[in-house]
Coordinates of all heavy atoms in Angstrom, one line a residue:
M1 N -29.5 -147.6 -6.9 CA -30.9 -147.0 -6.8 C -31.0 -146.3 -5.5 O -30.7 -146.8 -4.5 CB -31.9 -148.2 -6.9 CG -33.3 -147.7 -7.0 SD -34.5 -149.0 -7.0 CE -34.2 -149.8 -8.6
T2 N -31.5 -145.1 -5.6 CA -31.7 -144.3 -4.3 C -32.9 -144.8 -3.5 O -33.8 -145.6 -4.1 CB -32.0 -142.8 -4.7 OG1 -33.3 -142.8 -5.4 CG2 -30.9 -142.2 -5.5
G3 N -33.0 -144.5 -2.3 CA -34.1 -144.8 -1.5 C -35.4 -144.3 -2.0 O -36.4 -145.0 -2.0
F4 N -35.4 -143.1 -2.6 CA -36.6 -142.6 -3.2 C -37.0 -143.4 -4.4 O -38.2 -143.7 -4.5 CB -36.3 -141.1 -3.6 CG -37.5 -140.5 -4.3 CD1 -38.5 -139.9 -3.6 CD2 -37.5 -140.5 -5.7 CE1 -39.6 -139.4 -4.3 CE2 -38.6 -140.0 -6.4 CZ -39.7 -139.4 -5.7
E5 N -36.1 -143.7 -5.2 CA -36.4 -144.5 -6.4 C -37.0 -145.9 -6.1 O -37.9 -146.4 -6.7 CB -35.2 -144.6 -7.3 CG -35.5 -145.3 -8.7 CD -36.5 -144.6 -9.6 OE1 -36.8 -143.5 -9.4 OE2 -37.0 -145.3 -10.5
R6 N -36.4 -146.5 -5.0 CA -36.9 -147.8 -4.6 C -38.3 -147.7 -4.1 O -39.2 -148.5 -4.4 CB -35.9 -148.4 -3.5 CG -36.3 -149.9 -3.2 CD -35.3 -150.4 -2.1 NE -35.5 -149.7 -0.8 CZ -34.6 -148.9 -0.3 NH1 -33.5 -148.6 -1.0 NH2 -34.8 -148.2 0.8
R7 N -38.6 -146.7 -3.3 CA -39.9 -146.5 -2.7 C -40.9 -146.2 -3.9 O -42.0 -146.6 -3.8 CB -39.9 -145.4 -1.7 CG -39.3 -145.9 -0.4 CD -39.3 -144.8 0.7 NE -38.5 -143.7 0.3 CZ -38.7 -142.4 0.5 NH1 -39.9 -142.0 1.0 NH2 -37.9 -141.5 0.1
R8 N -40.4 -145.4 -4.9 CA -41.3 -145.1 -6.0 C -41.7 -146.3 -6.8 O -42.8 -146.5 -7.2 CB -40.6 -144.0 -6.9 CG -41.6 -143.4 -7.9 CD -40.9 -142.8 -9.1 NE -40.1 -143.8 -9.8 CZ -40.7 -144.8 -10.6 NH1 -42.0 -144.9 -10.7 NH2 -39.9 -145.7 -11.2
E9 N -40.7 -147.2 -7.0 CA -40.9 -148.5 -7.7 C -41.9 -149.4 -7.0 O -42.7 -150.1 -7.5 CB -39.6 -149.2 -8.1 CG -38.9 -148.5 -9.3 CD -37.8 -149.4 -9.8 OE1 -37.6 -150.6 -9.3 OE2 -37.2 -149.0 -10.8
E10 N -41.7 -149.4 -5.6 CA -42.6 -150.3 -4.8 C -44.0 -149.7 -4.9 O -45.0 -150.5 -5.0 CB -42.2 -150.2 -3.3 CG -41.0 -151.1 -3.0 CD -40.5 -150.9 -1.6 OE1 -41.2 -150.4 -0.7 OE2 -39.4 -151.4 -1.3
A11 N -44.2 -148.4 -4.9 CA -45.5 -147.8 -5.0 C -46.1 -148.1 -6.4 O -47.3 -148.5 -6.5 CB -45.4 -146.3 -4.8
E12 N -45.3 -148.0 -7.4 CA -45.8 -148.3 -8.8 C -46.3 -149.7 -8.9 O -47.4 -150.0 -9.4 CB -44.7 -148.0 -9.8 CG -45.1 -148.3 -11.2 CD -44.0 -148.1 -12.3 OE1 -42.8 -148.0 -11.9 OE2 -44.3 -148.2 -13.4
M13 N -45.5 -150.6 -8.4 CA -45.8 -152.1 -8.6 C -47.1 -152.4 -7.7 O -48.0 -153.1 -8.2 CB -44.7 -152.9 -8.1 CG -44.9 -154.4 -8.4 SD -45.3 -154.8 -10.2 CE -43.8 -154.2 -11.0
H14 N -47.2 -151.8 -6.5 CA -48.4 -152.1 -5.7 C -49.6 -151.5 -6.4 O -50.6 -152.3 -6.5 CB -48.2 -151.4 -4.3 CG -49.3 -151.6 -3.4 ND1 -49.6 -152.7 -2.7 CD2 -50.4 -150.7 -3.2 CE1 -50.7 -152.5 -2.0 NE2 -51.2 -151.4 -2.3
L15 N -49.5 -150.3 -6.8 CA -50.7 -149.7 -7.4 C -51.1 -150.4 -8.7 O -52.3 -150.6 -9.0 CB -50.5 -148.2 -7.7 CG -50.4 -147.4 -6.4 CD1 -49.9 -146.0 -6.7 CD2 -51.8 -147.3 -5.8
R16 N -50.1 -150.8 -9.5 CA -50.5 -151.5 -10.8 C -51.2 -152.8 -10.5 O -52.2 -153.1 -11.2 CB -49.2 -151.7 -11.6 CG -48.8 -150.6 -12.4 CD -47.5 -150.8 -13.1 NE -47.5 -152.0 -14.0 CZ -46.4 -152.5 -14.6 NH1 -45.2 -152.0 -14.4 NH2 -46.5 -153.6 -15.3
M17 N -50.7 -153.5 -9.6 CA -51.3 -154.8 -9.3 C -52.7 -154.7 -8.7 O -53.6 -155.4 -9.1 CB -50.4 -155.6 -8.3 CG -49.1 -156.1 -9.0 SD -48.1 -157.1 -7.9 CE -49.1 -158.5 -7.6
Q18 N -52.8 -153.7 -7.8 CA -54.2 -153.5 -7.2 C -55.2 -153.0 -8.2 O -56.3 -153.4 -8.3 CB -54.1 -152.5 -6.0 CG -53.3 -153.0 -4.8 CD -53.9 -154.3 -4.3 OE1 -55.1 -154.3 -4.1 NE2 -53.1 -155.2 -4.0
L19 N -54.7 -152.0 -9.1 CA -55.7 -151.5 -10.1 C -56.0 -152.6 -11.1 O -57.2 -152.6 -11.5 CB -55.0 -150.3 -10.8 CG -55.1 -149.0 -10.0 CD1 -54.2 -147.9 -10.6 CD2 -56.5 -148.5 -9.8
M20 N -55.1 -153.4 -11.5 CA -55.4 -154.4 -12.5 C -56.4 -155.4 -11.9 O -57.3 -155.8 -12.5 CB -54.1 -155.2 -12.9 CG -54.3 -156.3 -13.9 SD -54.8 -155.7 -15.5 CE -53.2 -155.3 -16.2
K21 N -56.2 -155.8 -10.6 CA -57.1 -156.7 -9.9 C -58.5 -156.1 -9.8 O -59.5 -156.7 -10.2 CB -56.5 -157.0 -8.5 CG -57.2 -158.1 -7.8 CD -56.5 -158.4 -6.5 CE -56.9 -157.5 -5.4 NZ -56.3 -157.8 -4.1
E22 N -58.6 -154.8 -9.4 CA -59.9 -154.2 -9.2 C -60.6 -154.0 -10.6 O -61.8 -154.2 -10.7 CB -59.7 -152.9 -8.5 CG -59.2 -153.0 -7.0 CD -60.2 -153.9 -6.2 OE1 -61.4 -153.8 -6.5 OE2 -59.8 -154.5 -5.3
M23 N -59.8 -153.5 -11.6 CA -60.5 -153.3 -12.9 C -60.9 -154.6 -13.5 O -62.0 -154.6 -14.1 CB -59.5 -152.5 -13.8 CG -59.3 -151.1 -13.3 SD -58.0 -150.2 -14.2 CE -58.6 -150.2 -15.8
S24 N -60.2 -155.7 -13.4 CA -60.6 -157.0 -13.9 C -61.9 -157.4 -13.2 O -62.8 -157.9 -13.8 CB -59.5 -158.0 -13.6 OG -58.4 -157.7 -14.4
A25 N -62.0 -157.2 -11.9 CA -63.2 -157.6 -11.1 C -64.3 -156.7 -11.5 O -65.5 -157.2 -11.7 CB -62.9 -157.4 -9.6
V26 N -64.1 -155.4 -11.8 CA -65.2 -154.5 -12.2 C -65.7 -155.0 -13.6 O -66.9 -155.0 -13.8 CB -64.8 -153.0 -12.2 CG1 -65.7 -152.2 -13.0 CG2 -64.6 -152.5 -10.8
M27 N -64.8 -155.3 -14.5 CA -65.2 -155.7 -15.9 C -66.0 -157.0 -15.8 O -67.0 -157.1 -16.5 CB -64.0 -155.9 -16.8 CG -63.5 -154.6 -17.3 SD -62.2 -154.7 -18.5 CE -60.7 -154.9 -17.5
Q28 N -65.6 -157.9 -15.0 CA -66.3 -159.2 -14.8 C -67.7 -159.0 -14.2 O -68.7 -159.5 -14.7 CB -65.5 -160.2 -14.0 CG -64.4 -160.9 -14.7 CD -63.9 -162.1 -14.0 OE1 -63.9 -162.1 -12.8 NE2 -63.6 -163.1 -14.7
R29 N -67.8 -158.1 -13.2 CA -69.0 -157.9 -12.5 C -70.0 -157.1 -13.3 O -71.2 -157.4 -13.3 CB -68.7 -157.2 -11.1 CG -69.9 -157.2 -10.2 CD -69.5 -156.8 -8.8 NE -69.0 -155.4 -8.7 CZ -67.8 -155.1 -8.4 NH1 -66.9 -156.0 -8.0 NH2 -67.4 -153.8 -8.4
T30 N -69.5 -156.1 -14.0 CA -70.4 -155.2 -14.7 C -70.6 -155.5 -16.2 O -71.6 -155.1 -16.8 CB -69.9 -153.7 -14.6 OG1 -68.7 -153.7 -15.3 CG2 -69.7 -153.3 -13.2
G31 N -69.7 -156.3 -16.8 CA -69.7 -156.5 -18.2 C -69.4 -155.3 -19.0 O -69.5 -155.3 -20.3
L32 N -68.9 -154.2 -18.4 CA -68.5 -153.0 -19.1 C -67.2 -153.3 -19.9 O -66.3 -154.0 -19.5 CB -68.3 -151.9 -18.2 CG -69.6 -151.3 -17.6 CD1 -69.2 -150.3 -16.4 CD2 -70.5 -150.6 -18.6
P33 N -67.1 -152.7 -21.1 CA -65.9 -152.9 -21.9 C -64.6 -152.2 -21.3 O -64.8 -151.2 -20.5 CB -66.2 -152.2 -23.2 CG -67.3 -151.3 -23.0 CD -68.1 -151.8 -21.8
P34 N -63.4 -152.7 -21.6 CA -62.2 -152.2 -21.0 C -62.1 -150.6 -21.1 O -61.7 -150.0 -20.1 CB -61.1 -152.9 -21.8 CG -61.7 -154.1 -22.3 CD -63.2 -153.8 -22.5
M35 N -62.4 -150.0 -22.2 CA -62.1 -148.6 -22.3 C -63.0 -147.8 -21.4 O -62.6 -146.7 -20.9 CB -62.3 -148.1 -23.8 CG -61.1 -148.3 -24.7 SD -59.6 -147.6 -24.0 CE -59.9 -145.9 -24.0
I36 N -64.2 -148.3 -21.2 CA -65.1 -147.6 -20.2 C -64.6 -147.7 -18.8 O -64.5 -146.7 -18.1 CB -66.6 -148.1 -20.3 CG1 -67.2 -148.0 -21.7 CG2 -67.4 -147.5 -19.2 CD1 -67.3 -146.5 -22.1
V37 N -64.1 -148.9 -18.4 CA -63.6 -149.1 -17.1 C -62.3 -148.3 -16.9 O -62.1 -147.7 -15.9 CB -63.4 -150.6 -16.8 CG1 -62.7 -150.8 -15.5 CG2 -64.7 -151.3 -16.8
M38 N -61.4 -148.3 -18.0 CA -60.2 -147.5 -17.8 C -60.5 -146.0 -17.7 O -59.8 -145.3 -17.0 CB -59.3 -147.8 -19.0 CG -58.5 -149.1 -18.9 SD -57.2 -149.4 -20.1 CE -58.1 -150.4 -21.2
R39 N -61.5 -145.5 -18.5 CA -61.8 -144.1 -18.4 C -62.3 -143.8 -17.0 O -61.9 -142.7 -16.4 CB -62.9 -143.8 -19.4 CG -63.3 -142.3 -19.3 CD -64.3 -142.0 -20.5 NE -64.7 -140.6 -20.5 CZ -65.8 -140.1 -19.8 NH1 -66.5 -141.0 -19.2 NH2 -66.1 -138.9 -19.9
E40 N -63.1 -144.7 -16.4 CA -63.5 -144.4 -15.0 C -62.4 -144.5 -14.0 O -62.4 -143.7 -13.0 CB -64.6 -145.4 -14.6 CG -65.9 -145.2 -15.4 CD -66.4 -143.8 -15.3 OE1 -66.4 -143.1 -14.3 OE2 -66.8 -143.3 -16.4
A41 N -61.4 -145.3 -14.3 CA -60.2 -145.3 -13.4 C -59.4 -144.0 -13.5 O -59.0 -143.5 -12.5 CB -59.3 -146.5 -13.7
V42 N -59.3 -143.5 -14.7 CA -58.6 -142.2 -14.9 C -59.4 -141.1 -14.3 O -58.8 -140.2 -13.6 CB -58.4 -142.0 -16.4 CG1 -57.8 -140.6 -16.7 CG2 -57.4 -143.0 -17.0
R43 N -60.7 -141.2 -14.4 CA -61.6 -140.1 -13.8 C -61.4 -140.2 -12.3 O -61.4 -139.1 -11.6 CB -63.0 -140.3 -14.2 CG -63.4 -139.9 -15.6 CD -64.8 -140.3 -16.0 NE -65.8 -139.9 -15.1 CZ -66.3 -138.7 -15.0 NH1 -66.0 -137.7 -15.8 NH2 -67.2 -138.4 -14.1
A44 N -61.3 -141.4 -11.7 CA -61.2 -141.5 -10.3 C -59.8 -140.9 -9.8 O -59.8 -140.2 -8.8 CB -61.2 -143.0 -9.9
I45 N -58.8 -141.0 -10.6 CA -57.5 -140.3 -10.3 C -57.7 -138.8 -10.3 O -57.2 -138.1 -9.5 CB -56.4 -140.8 -11.3 CG1 -56.1 -142.3 -11.2 CG2 -55.1 -139.9 -11.1 CD1 -55.5 -142.7 -9.8
G46 N -58.5 -138.3 -11.3 CA -58.7 -136.9 -11.4 C -59.5 -136.4 -10.1 O -59.1 -135.3 -9.6
V47 N -60.5 -137.2 -9.7 CA -61.2 -136.8 -8.5 C -60.3 -136.8 -7.2 O -60.3 -135.9 -6.4 CB -62.4 -137.7 -8.3 CG1 -63.1 -137.4 -6.9 CG2 -63.4 -137.5 -9.4
I48 N -59.4 -137.8 -7.2 CA -58.5 -137.9 -6.1 C -57.5 -136.7 -6.1 O -57.2 -136.2 -5.0 CB -57.7 -139.3 -6.1 CG1 -58.7 -140.4 -5.8 CG2 -56.6 -139.3 -5.1 CD1 -58.2 -141.8 -6.0
Y49 N -57.1 -136.4 -7.3 CA -56.2 -135.2 -7.4 C -57.0 -134.0 -6.8 O -56.4 -133.2 -6.0 CB -55.8 -134.9 -8.8 CG -55.1 -133.5 -8.9 CD1 -53.7 -133.4 -8.5 CD2 -55.8 -132.4 -9.2 CE1 -53.1 -132.2 -8.5 CE2 -55.2 -131.1 -9.2 CZ -53.8 -131.0 -8.8 OH -53.2 -129.8 -8.8
R50 N -58.2 -133.8 -7.3 CA -59.0 -132.6 -6.8 C -59.1 -132.6 -5.3 O -58.9 -131.5 -4.7 CB -60.4 -132.6 -7.5 CG -61.3 -131.5 -7.2 CD -61.0 -130.2 -7.9 NE -60.0 -129.5 -7.2 CZ -58.9 -128.9 -7.7 NH1 -58.7 -128.9 -9.0 NH2 -58.0 -128.2 -7.0
E51 N -59.5 -133.7 -4.7 CA -59.7 -133.8 -3.3 C -58.4 -133.6 -2.5 O -58.4 -132.9 -1.5 CB -60.3 -135.1 -2.9 CG -61.8 -135.3 -3.4 CD -62.4 -136.6 -3.1 OE1 -61.7 -137.5 -2.6 OE2 -63.6 -136.8 -3.4
T52 N -57.3 -134.1 -3.0 CA -56.0 -134.0 -2.4 C -55.5 -132.5 -2.5 O -55.0 -132.0 -1.5 CB -55.0 -135.0 -3.0 OG1 -55.5 -136.3 -2.9 CG2 -53.7 -134.9 -2.2
A53 N -55.7 -131.9 -3.6 CA -55.3 -130.5 -3.8 C -56.1 -129.6 -2.9 O -55.6 -128.7 -2.2 CB -55.4 -130.1 -5.3
D54 N -57.4 -129.9 -2.8 CA -58.3 -129.1 -2.0 C -57.8 -129.2 -0.5 O -57.9 -128.2 0.3 CB -59.7 -129.5 -2.1 CG -60.3 -129.1 -3.5 OD1 -59.6 -128.3 -4.2 OD2 -61.4 -129.6 -3.8
A55 N -57.4 -130.4 -0.1 CA -57.0 -130.6 1.3 C -55.6 -129.9 1.6 O -55.2 -129.9 2.7 CB -56.8 -132.1 1.6
H56 N -55.0 -129.4 0.6 CA -53.7 -128.7 0.7 C -53.8 -127.2 0.5 O -52.8 -126.5 0.3 CB -52.6 -129.3 -0.2 CG -52.2 -130.6 0.3 ND1 -52.9 -131.8 0.1 CD2 -51.1 -131.0 1.0 CE1 -52.3 -132.8 0.6 NE2 -51.2 -132.4 1.2
Q57 N -55.0 -126.7 0.5 CA -55.2 -125.3 0.3 C -56.2 -124.8 1.4 O -57.2 -125.5 1.7 CB -55.8 -125.0 -1.1 CG -54.7 -125.3 -2.2 CD -55.3 -125.4 -3.6 OE1 -56.4 -125.8 -3.8 NE2 -54.6 -124.8 -4.5
G58 N -56.0 -123.5 1.8 CA -57.0 -122.9 2.7 C -56.8 -123.3 4.2 O -55.9 -124.0 4.5
P59 N -57.7 -122.8 5.0 CA -57.6 -123.0 6.4 C -57.7 -124.5 6.8 O -58.5 -125.2 6.2 CB -58.8 -122.2 7.0 CG -59.5 -121.6 5.9 CD -58.9 -122.0 4.6
G60 N -56.9 -124.9 7.8 CA -56.9 -126.3 8.2 C -56.3 -127.3 7.2 O -56.5 -128.5 7.3
S61 N -55.5 -126.7 6.3 CA -55.0 -127.6 5.2 C -53.8 -128.5 5.8 O -53.3 -128.2 6.8 CB -54.5 -126.8 4.0 OG -53.4 -126.0 4.4
C62 N -53.5 -129.5 5.0 CA -52.4 -130.5 5.4 C -51.1 -129.7 5.5 O -50.9 -128.8 4.8 CB -52.3 -131.5 4.3 SG -50.9 -132.7 4.6
S63 N -50.3 -130.1 6.5 CA -49.1 -129.3 6.8 C -47.8 -130.0 6.2 O -46.7 -129.6 6.6 CB -48.9 -129.2 8.3 OG -48.8 -130.5 8.9
C64 N -48.0 -130.9 5.2 CA -46.8 -131.6 4.7 C -46.0 -130.7 3.8 O -44.8 -131.1 3.5 CB -47.3 -132.9 4.0 SG -48.0 -132.5 2.3
G65 N -46.5 -129.6 3.4 CA -45.7 -128.7 2.6 C -46.0 -128.7 1.1 O -45.5 -127.8 0.4
W66 N -46.7 -129.7 0.6 CA -47.1 -129.7 -0.9 C -48.0 -128.5 -1.2 O -49.0 -128.3 -0.5 CB -47.7 -131.0 -1.3 CG -48.1 -131.0 -2.7 CD1 -47.3 -130.8 -3.8 CD2 -49.4 -131.4 -3.3 NE1 -48.0 -130.9 -4.9 CE2 -49.3 -131.3 -4.7 CE3 -50.6 -131.7 -2.7 CZ2 -50.4 -131.5 -5.5 CZ3 -51.7 -132.0 -3.5 CH2 -51.6 -131.9 -4.9
Q67 N -47.6 -127.8 -2.2 CA -48.5 -126.7 -2.7 C -48.9 -127.0 -4.1 O -48.1 -127.0 -5.0 CB -47.7 -125.4 -2.7 CG -47.3 -125.0 -1.2 CD -46.5 -123.7 -1.2 OE1 -45.7 -123.5 -2.1 NE2 -46.7 -122.9 -0.2
P68 N -50.2 -127.4 -4.3 CA -50.7 -127.8 -5.6 C -50.5 -126.6 -6.6 O -50.8 -125.5 -6.2 CB -52.2 -128.0 -5.3 CG -52.3 -128.3 -3.9 CD -51.2 -127.5 -3.2
Q69 N -50.1 -127.0 -7.8 CA -50.1 -126.0 -8.9 C -50.8 -126.7 -10.0 O -50.2 -127.4 -10.8 CB -48.6 -125.7 -9.3 CG -47.9 -125.1 -8.1 CD -46.4 -124.7 -8.4 OE1 -45.8 -125.3 -9.3 NE2 -45.9 -123.8 -7.7
E70 N -52.1 -126.3 -10.1 CA -53.0 -127.2 -10.9 C -52.6 -127.4 -12.3 O -52.5 -128.5 -12.8 CB -54.4 -126.6 -10.8 CG -55.4 -127.4 -11.5 CD -56.9 -127.0 -11.2 OE1 -57.1 -126.6 -10.1 OE2 -57.7 -127.1 -12.1
A71 N -52.2 -126.3 -13.0 CA -51.9 -126.4 -14.5 C -50.7 -127.3 -14.6 O -50.7 -128.3 -15.4 CB -51.6 -125.1 -15.1
A72 N -49.6 -127.1 -13.8 CA -48.4 -127.9 -14.0 C -48.7 -129.3 -13.5 O -48.2 -130.3 -14.1 CB -47.3 -127.3 -13.1
D73 N -49.4 -129.5 -12.4 CA -49.7 -130.8 -11.9 C -50.5 -131.7 -12.9 O -50.2 -132.8 -13.1 CB -50.6 -130.7 -10.6 CG -49.8 -130.1 -9.4 OD1 -48.5 -130.0 -9.5 OD2 -50.5 -129.7 -8.5
L74 N -51.5 -131.1 -13.5 CA -52.3 -131.8 -14.5 C -51.5 -132.1 -15.7 O -51.7 -133.2 -16.3 CB -53.6 -131.1 -14.8 CG -54.5 -130.9 -13.6 CD1 -55.8 -130.2 -14.0 CD2 -54.8 -132.2 -12.8
D75 N -50.6 -131.2 -16.1 CA -49.8 -131.5 -17.3 C -48.8 -132.7 -17.0 O -48.7 -133.6 -17.8 CB -49.0 -130.3 -17.6 CG -48.1 -130.5 -18.8 OD1 -48.6 -130.8 -19.9 OD2 -46.8 -130.3 -18.7
Y76 N -48.3 -132.7 -15.7 CA -47.4 -133.8 -15.3 C -48.2 -135.1 -15.3 O -47.6 -136.1 -15.8 CB -47.0 -133.4 -13.8 CG -46.1 -134.3 -13.1 CD1 -44.8 -134.5 -13.5 CD2 -46.6 -135.0 -12.0 CE1 -43.9 -135.3 -12.8 CE2 -45.7 -135.8 -11.2 CZ -44.4 -136.0 -11.6 OH -43.6 -136.8 -10.9
L77 N -49.4 -135.1 -14.8 CA -50.2 -136.4 -14.7 C -50.5 -136.8 -16.1 O -50.5 -138.0 -16.5 CB -51.4 -136.2 -13.9 CG -51.2 -135.9 -12.4 CD1 -52.5 -135.7 -11.7 CD2 -50.4 -137.1 -11.7
G78 N -50.9 -135.9 -17.0 CA -51.3 -136.2 -18.4 C -50.1 -136.8 -19.1 O -50.3 -137.8 -19.9
R79 N -48.9 -136.2 -18.9 CA -47.7 -136.8 -19.6 C -47.4 -138.1 -19.1 O -47.0 -139.0 -19.9 CB -46.6 -135.8 -19.4 CG -46.6 -134.6 -20.4 CD -45.3 -133.8 -20.4 NE -45.4 -132.9 -19.2 CZ -44.5 -133.0 -18.2 NH1 -43.5 -133.8 -18.3 NH2 -44.5 -132.2 -17.2
A80 N -47.6 -138.4 -17.8 CA -47.3 -139.7 -17.2 C -48.2 -140.8 -17.9 O -47.8 -141.9 -18.2 CB -47.5 -139.7 -15.7
L81 N -49.5 -140.4 -18.1 CA -50.4 -141.3 -18.7 C -50.0 -141.7 -20.1 O -49.9 -142.8 -20.5 CB -51.8 -140.7 -18.7 CG -52.9 -141.5 -19.5 CD1 -53.2 -142.9 -18.8 CD2 -54.2 -140.7 -19.6
L82 N -49.6 -140.6 -20.9 CA -49.2 -140.9 -22.3 C -47.9 -141.7 -22.3 O -47.8 -142.6 -23.1 CB -49.0 -139.5 -23.0 CG -50.2 -138.7 -23.2 CD1 -49.9 -137.4 -23.9 CD2 -51.2 -139.5 -24.1
E83 N -46.9 -141.3 -21.5 CA -45.6 -142.0 -21.5 C -45.8 -143.5 -21.1 O -45.2 -144.4 -21.8 CB -44.6 -141.4 -20.5 CG -44.1 -140.0 -21.1 CD -43.4 -139.2 -20.0 OE1 -43.1 -139.8 -18.9 OE2 -43.2 -138.0 -20.2
A84 N -46.6 -143.8 -20.1 CA -46.8 -145.2 -19.6 C -47.5 -146.0 -20.7 O -47.3 -147.1 -20.9 CB -47.5 -145.2 -18.3
S85 N -48.5 -145.3 -21.3 CA -49.3 -146.0 -22.3 C -48.6 -146.4 -23.6 O -48.9 -147.4 -24.2 CB -50.5 -145.2 -22.7 OG -51.3 -144.8 -21.6
R86 N -47.5 -145.6 -23.9 CA -46.8 -145.8 -25.1 C -45.6 -146.6 -24.9 O -44.9 -147.0 -25.9 CB -46.4 -144.4 -25.7 CG -47.6 -143.7 -26.3 CD -47.2 -142.3 -26.7 NE -48.4 -141.6 -27.3 CZ -48.5 -140.3 -27.3 NH1 -47.6 -139.5 -26.8 NH2 -49.6 -139.8 -27.9
Q87 N -45.3 -147.0 -23.7 CA -44.1 -147.9 -23.4 C -44.3 -149.2 -24.2 O -45.4 -149.7 -24.3 CB -44.0 -148.2 -22.0 CG -43.1 -147.3 -21.2 CD -43.1 -147.7 -19.7 OE1 -43.6 -148.7 -19.4 NE2 -42.5 -146.9 -18.9
P88 N -43.2 -149.7 -24.7 CA -43.2 -151.1 -25.3 C -43.7 -152.0 -24.1 O -43.3 -151.8 -23.0 CB -41.8 -151.4 -25.7 CG -41.0 -150.2 -25.5 CD -41.8 -149.2 -24.7
R89 N -44.4 -153.0 -24.5 CA -45.0 -154.0 -23.5 C -43.9 -154.7 -22.8 O -42.9 -155.2 -23.4 CB -45.9 -155.0 -24.2 CG -47.2 -155.2 -23.4 CD -48.1 -156.0 -24.2 NE -48.0 -157.4 -23.9 CZ -48.6 -158.4 -24.5 NH1 -49.4 -158.1 -25.4 NH2 -48.4 -159.6 -24.1
R90 N -43.9 -154.6 -21.5 CA -42.9 -155.3 -20.6 C -43.5 -156.6 -20.1 O -44.7 -156.7 -19.8 CB -42.5 -154.5 -19.5 CG -41.5 -153.4 -19.8 CD -41.0 -152.7 -18.6 NE -42.0 -151.9 -18.0 CZ -41.8 -151.2 -16.9 NH1 -40.7 -151.4 -16.2 NH2 -42.7 -150.4 -16.4
R91 N -42.7 -157.7 -20.2 CA -43.1 -158.9 -19.6 C -43.0 -158.8 -18.1 O -41.9 -158.9 -17.5 CB -42.2 -160.1 -20.0 CG -42.4 -160.4 -21.5 CD -43.6 -161.3 -21.7 NE -44.0 -161.4 -23.1 CZ -45.1 -161.8 -23.5 NH1 -46.0 -162.1 -22.6 NH2 -45.4 -161.8 -24.8
D92 N -44.1 -158.5 -17.5 CA -44.1 -158.2 -16.0 C -44.9 -159.3 -15.3 O -46.1 -159.5 -15.5 CB -44.9 -156.9 -15.8 CG -44.8 -156.5 -14.4 OD1 -45.2 -157.3 -13.5 OD2 -44.3 -155.3 -14.1
L93 N -44.1 -160.1 -14.5 CA -44.7 -161.2 -13.8 C -45.9 -160.9 -12.9 O -46.9 -161.6 -13.0 CB -43.6 -161.9 -13.0 CG -42.7 -163.0 -13.7 CD1 -41.8 -163.6 -12.7 CD2 -43.6 -164.0 -14.3
G94 N -45.8 -159.8 -12.2 CA -46.9 -159.4 -11.3 C -48.1 -159.2 -12.0 O -49.2 -159.8 -11.7
A95 N -48.1 -158.4 -13.1 CA -49.3 -158.1 -13.8 C -49.8 -159.4 -14.6 O -51.0 -159.6 -14.6 CB -49.0 -157.0 -14.8
M96 N -48.9 -160.2 -15.1 CA -49.3 -161.4 -15.8 C -50.0 -162.3 -14.9 O -51.0 -162.9 -15.3 CB -48.1 -162.1 -16.4 CG -47.3 -161.3 -17.4 SD -48.2 -160.9 -18.9 CE -48.0 -162.4 -19.8
Q97 N -49.6 -162.4 -13.6 CA -50.2 -163.3 -12.7 C -51.6 -162.9 -12.4 O -52.6 -163.7 -12.4 CB -49.4 -163.4 -11.4 CG -48.2 -164.3 -11.5 CD -47.3 -164.2 -10.3 OE1 -47.4 -163.3 -9.5 NE2 -46.3 -165.0 -10.3
V98 N -51.8 -161.5 -12.2 CA -53.2 -161.0 -12.0 C -54.1 -161.3 -13.2 O -55.2 -161.7 -13.0 CB -53.1 -159.5 -11.6 CG1 -54.5 -158.9 -11.5 CG2 -52.4 -159.3 -10.3
L99 N -53.5 -161.0 -14.4 CA -54.3 -161.3 -15.6 C -54.7 -162.7 -15.7 O -55.8 -163.0 -16.1 CB -53.5 -160.9 -16.8 CG -53.5 -159.4 -17.2 CD1 -52.5 -159.2 -18.4 CD2 -54.9 -158.9 -17.5
G100 N -53.8 -163.6 -15.3 CA -54.0 -165.0 -15.4 C -55.2 -165.5 -14.5 O -55.8 -166.5 -14.8
T101 N -55.4 -164.8 -13.4 CA -56.5 -165.2 -12.5 C -57.8 -164.5 -12.8 O -58.8 -164.7 -12.1 CB -56.1 -164.9 -11.1 OG1 -55.8 -163.5 -10.9 CG2 -54.9 -165.7 -10.7
A102 N -57.8 -163.5 -13.7 CA -59.0 -162.7 -14.0 C -60.1 -163.6 -14.7 O -59.8 -164.5 -15.3 CB -58.7 -161.5 -14.9
Ligands
ZN1 ZN1 -50.1 -133.1 2.7

């Protein structure tokens, strides 16, 4: 496994556990159904994309070198949502532990 792939997997696991924890807390606190809370989480990602892309364009923009390409970027993110959602369920200890405490 490359260093990049290891860091990507660490990021994925961290974000999944945090999002599961936060979404479970929001559902308990608000009583909102899962699909509403998941839609808001996806919308939050969209807003974060917009803000991050804006911070990489124009005067005073971030100097890391990323150049947003909105159509391709949004297609990439949309495909990631579909691919992850259609995966066969994995027995994932981290996520199961968070669910068990919800
Ligand atoms: Zn940057």
Side-chain angles (χ1 to χ4, degrees):
M1 184 184 295
T2 65
F4 175 84
E5 183 62 16
R6 188 180 64 253
R7 287 181 290 140
R8 193 202 60 72
E9 282 194 2
E10 282 175 15
E12 178 186 10
M13 189 54 61
H14 177 84
L15 289 168
R16 277 176 57 188
M17 290 181 65
Q18 293 301 313
L19 284 171
M20 181 66 83
K21 190 172 84 178
E22 293 300 329
M23 288 170 64
S24 296
V26 166
M27 280 188 276
Q28 279 197 325
R29 192 169 62 243
T30 63
L32 289 169
M35 278 306 294
I36 299 297
V37 173
M38 281 192 262
R39 180 172 180 270
E40 291 310 316
V42 171
R43 286 172 49 83
I45 296 294
V47 171
I48 290 169
Y49 172 82
R50 177 78 275 137
E51 291 175 354
T52 306
D54 289 348
H56 287 79
Q57 294 167 319
S61 63
C62 178
S63 61
C64 74
W66 179 51
Q67 296 179 323
Q69 298 181 336
E70 185 167 324
D73 293 343
L74 298 183
D75 182 58
Y76 179 70
L77 295 176
R79 278 186 287 116
L81 175 65
L82 293 178
E83 287 165 13
S85 302
R86 289 172 176 158
Q87 266 179 7
R89 226 171 92 185
R90 279 190 288 174
R91 291 278 164 199
D92 186 305
L93 273 181
M96 299 295 280
Q97 283 169 352
V98 172
L99 280 175
T101 59

